[in-house]
């Protein structure tokens, strides 16, 4: 589910220098947004996935040419995100437009009803990305609560107040990056063990798992039963845009197909899938050969959970 989709623009240059004119070697435009990226990767993983959320008619029509979609037409226009990709060393610079304000006063209710109608036929739900103007930050939590009540594994990959409210939904899986985790917990974890300590209050209040994406440091996952850190031996250079979405796709693919979760195996797949997105210059795509090659090389470290009295404090 993508409530604030975007047209993803990728400009390729030899080397980007601030304040200078550049000759662009190539330009690519495609439909995007975090949930769209997740949908694309899931389909590449062999999992049938449908995209929903808000859009305008033009974006929905473009999306239908590529993906199964079911959007609420509530946006007057769809924003753009621009990535400047440097061929010299793979550095990427991103510019994100804020997006339009929802023009339909009944849009939130319509989307909630639409997702509720899909729940009997789906195995997992991901709610991703920013919210457009006019949408209350409680909407992701409300939809997540309905999905979890229907026994549908649900991930919320949101930020700010929407993330704080989602963290109050029992059974939710959260996938914050480092800055989102800091805003959520008020802590500034610098190590995997710091992450475990910072999210203990969330786990104690019913969050199923916090899966923190930490860039080159890999991923740290914390549940009520255990905690693990997973990372590559050596990080890959490339375009990190969409790498977190690829990891989320791998996580929901496992959660939606397994009755019992093997968290180390899930994390190995998530790290490898994320890395397989980094080596591709556009978001929403992975190199499946890289994913297959890297999965068995991911380093997993089991972390200690705090003693009960420490967690309670």
């Amino acid at each position: 589910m993508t409530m604030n989709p975007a047209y993803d623009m990728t400009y390729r240059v030899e080397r980007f220098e601030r304040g200078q004119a550049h000759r662009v070697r190539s330009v690519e435009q495609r439909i995007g947004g975090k949930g769209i990226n997740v949908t694309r990767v899931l389909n590449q993983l062999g999992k049938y996935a449908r995209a929903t959320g808000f859009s305008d008619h033009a974006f929905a029509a473009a999306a239908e040419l590529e993906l199964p979609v079911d959007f609420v037409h509530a946006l007057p226009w769809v924003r753009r995100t621009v990535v400047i990709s440097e061929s010299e060393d793979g550095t990427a610079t991103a510019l994100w437009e804020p997006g339009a304000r929802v023009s339909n006063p009944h849009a939130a209710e319509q989307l909630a009803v639409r997702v509720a109608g899909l729940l009997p036929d789906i195995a997992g739900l991901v709610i991703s990305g920013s919210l457009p103007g006019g949408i209350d930050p409680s909407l992701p939590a409300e939809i997540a609560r309905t999905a979890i009540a229907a026994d549908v594994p649900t991930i919320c990959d949101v930020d700010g107040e929407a993330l704080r409210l989602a963290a109050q939904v029992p059974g939710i899986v959260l996938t914050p990056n480092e800055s989102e985790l800091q805003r959520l917990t008020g802590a500034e974890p610098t190590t995997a063990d710091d992450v475990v300590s910072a999210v203990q209050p969330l786990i104690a209040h019913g969050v199923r798992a916090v899966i923190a994406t930490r860039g080159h440091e890999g991923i740290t996952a914390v549940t009520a039963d255990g905690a693990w850190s997973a990372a590559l031996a050596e990080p890959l250079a490339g375009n990190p845009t969409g790498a977190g979405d690829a990891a989320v796709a791998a996580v929901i693919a496992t959660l939606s197909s397994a009755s019992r979760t093997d968290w180390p195996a899930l994390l190995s797949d998530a790290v490898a899938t994320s890395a397989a997105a980094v080596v591709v210059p556009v978001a929403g795509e992975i190199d499946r050969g890289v994913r297959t090659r890297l999965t068995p090389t991911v380093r997993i470290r089991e972390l200690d959970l705090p003693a009960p009295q420490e967690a309670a404090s």
Side-chain angles (χ1 to χ4, degrees):
M1 188 170 78
T2 308
M3 286 183 274
N4 199 16
Y7 292 103
D8 286 343
M9 308 289 300
T10 302
Y11 292 86
R12 294 187 181 87
V13 299
E14 182 66 28
R15 182 168 180 266
F16 179 73
E17 295 184 35
R18 183 182 175 192
Q20 300 297 314
H22 299 79
R23 289 194 178 277
V24 177
R25 301 179 65 178
S26 65
V27 179
E28 182 167 343
Q29 175 179 294
R30 62 201 328 234
I31 61 166
K34 291 178 68 64
I36 297 291
N37 294 338
V38 172
T39 303
R40 276 201 183 98
V41 174
L42 280 168
N43 284 319
Q44 291 171 72
L45 296 178
K47 302 289 186 179
Y48 176 85
R50 177 180 295 272
T52 188
F54 300 129
S55 75
D56 63 3
H57 289 280
F59 186 91
E64 285 173 359
L65 298 175
E66 180 185 349
L67 300 167
V69 299
D70 191 7
F71 286 109
V72 173
H73 297 159
L75 295 173
W77 50 270
V78 170
R79 67 191 177 117
R80 294 171 299 176
T81 63
V82 177
V83 172
I84 303 170
S85 179
E86 301 179 50
S87 58
E88 185 176 88
D89 61 3
T91 299
T93 302
L95 302 172
W96 295 322
E97 294 181 1
R101 187 177 183 85
V102 166
S103 57
N104 178 350
H106 306 292
E109 180 183 359
Q110 290 172 357
L111 182 58
V113 169
R114 188 158 301 185
V115 174
L118 295 171
L119 292 178
D121 301 316
I122 65 176
L125 174 66
V126 174
I127 304 170
S128 286
S130 60
L131 275 61
I135 295 300
D136 193 281
S138 65
L139 182 60
E142 293 171 6
I143 292 177
R145 198 179 300 274
T146 301
I148 292 169
D151 292 326
V152 174
T154 302
I155 294 174
C156 266
D157 186 16
V158 294
D159 193 10
E161 181 66 3
L163 178 57
R164 188 188 71 80
L165 294 172
Q168 298 175 16
V169 179
I172 195 71
V173 175
L174 305 177
T175 54
N177 60 29
E178 289 183 294
S179 59
E180 291 164 350
L181 184 63
Q182 289 176 9
R183 288 189 287 273
L184 176 62
T185 63
E188 295 187 8
T190 57
T191 68
D193 291 311
D194 290 342
V195 172
V196 176
S197 298
V199 305
Q200 279 307 306
L202 304 175
I203 301 298
H205 284 87
V207 170
R208 178 181 178 184
V210 177
I211 302 172
T213 55
R214 306 177 56 234
H216 292 324
E217 299 298 322
I219 296 175
T220 300
V222 186
T223 73
D225 299 320
W228 303 265
S229 177
L232 295 177
E234 294 290 339
L236 299 182
N239 177 15
T241 306
D245 301 329
V248 169
V251 172
I252 197 62
T254 297
L255 294 181
S256 64
S257 59
S259 57
R260 190 167 182 270
T261 304
D262 181 340
W263 286 98
L266 178 151
L267 290 174
S268 293
D269 187 26
V271 168
T273 306
S274 178
V278 169
V279 299
V280 179
V282 294
E285 301 287 342
I286 61 170
D287 185 320
R288 284 177 286 185
V290 168
R291 172 177 176 260
T292 300
R293 176 172 59 84
L294 290 179
T295 299
T297 73
V298 175
R299 297 179 175 181
I300 302 291
R301 180 167 67 96
E302 187 165 6
L303 306 172
D304 292 328
L305 292 176
Q309 63 268 24
E310 295 178 47
S313 61

